[in-house]
Amino acid sequence: MLENLQKVLAEVQELVVVDNGSSPNELDALKAASQNFGFQLIENGENLGIAEALNQGVRQAMNAGYRWVLLLDQDSTMCDRFVESLFKTWLSHPRRDQIASIHPRYMHPQLGCRPVAPRARDGTLMWCMSSGTLMPTWIFHKIGWFASDFFIDWVDIEYCFRIREAGYLITESAEAILLHEPGQSAPSSVLGFHFWPSHHSPWRRYYMSRNRVVVFRRYFRSLPLCTLKAMERALRDIAKCFLGERERPRKFRNFLLGTWDGLMGRMGTRERL
């Protein structure tokens, strides 16, 4: 992660690192790095979730007067000239004033570059992951902040749906490459059918199940095609999980619990998962 931070610092004007309750040893290393490298460290002391962490970083950038923010997970690695490539895509786009987020191409350590998001009929992305995203700060004035009550998972998809519902665009840079692995994917095979389950933890399966139900209910009427595509992707992910992952009984329990809470509208964090 410290190597990643140095790469980021070489391409941006200022860096904010939000720590969601790391161990004392990890936090000490971050404090030392913030002094050595010259970035701002926000210490939350506990895990407030990815959505709130993103909001904290974006607010800091906006308060400092920046017009653009780059969002990154701690385990994502930028390739050379990453930010320059993202901006090149924005500058060359015929409708750049309507672009609310620019995403890179994602490279899996073993699978190479692969599409992770479906495209709409106009060629723009329906949704995409938040890591590696370049966003103009005006979009947060227009449609609000990331959904903190989601805590983790589907935070990025929900925000992309909100972007599309408001009439703005989500695009991809062909030249910006980000090394990123969702979950801890590993190959699996059932009856000769080969696939790559994500192997997300059981507690993550709760939030994934709950939050996607909330997204489906919230956007089906305004974005039916996007929602149906998201449902299809979710069914494929669920099938791969229960066919090829470990701890399936606990994950199935959390899947049912998350689905129920999504239907009931229970948000925030959940204990004893």
Side-chain angles (χ1 to χ4, degrees), residues 130-148:
S130 59
S131 188
T133 305
L134 180 69
M135 304 180 73
T137 53
W138 58 255
I139 189 62
F140 298 96
H141 290 297
K142 295 287 186 179
I143 67 172
W145 303 99
F146 291 102
S148 294

Side-chain angles (χ1 to χ4, degrees), residues 5 7-16 70 72 78 83:
L5 293 179
K7 289 185 177 181
V8 176
L9 280 164
E11 297 203 27
V12 299
Q13 291 174 286
E14 190 172 342
L15 175 63
V16 177
L70 177 70
L72 285 164
M78 304 187 317
V83 175

Side-chain angles (χ1 to χ4, degrees), residues 132-188:
T133 305
L134 180 69
M135 304 180 73
T137 53
W138 58 255
I139 189 62
F140 298 96
H141 290 297
K142 295 287 186 179
I143 67 172
W145 303 99
F146 291 102
S148 294
D149 57 352
F150 273 44
F151 188 67
I152 192 171
D153 288 311
W154 281 61
V155 171
D156 40 16
I157 297 177
E158 190 279 332
Y159 204 80
C160 285
F161 274 45
R162 220 185 311 163
I163 287 172
R164 294 194 64 85
E165 187 180 51
Y168 300 110
L169 303 178
I170 305 165
T171 192
E172 180 184 61
S173 173
E175 298 180 16
I177 307 296
L178 189 74
L179 301 178
H180 183 83
E181 181 181 0
Q184 297 176 323
S185 55
S188 185

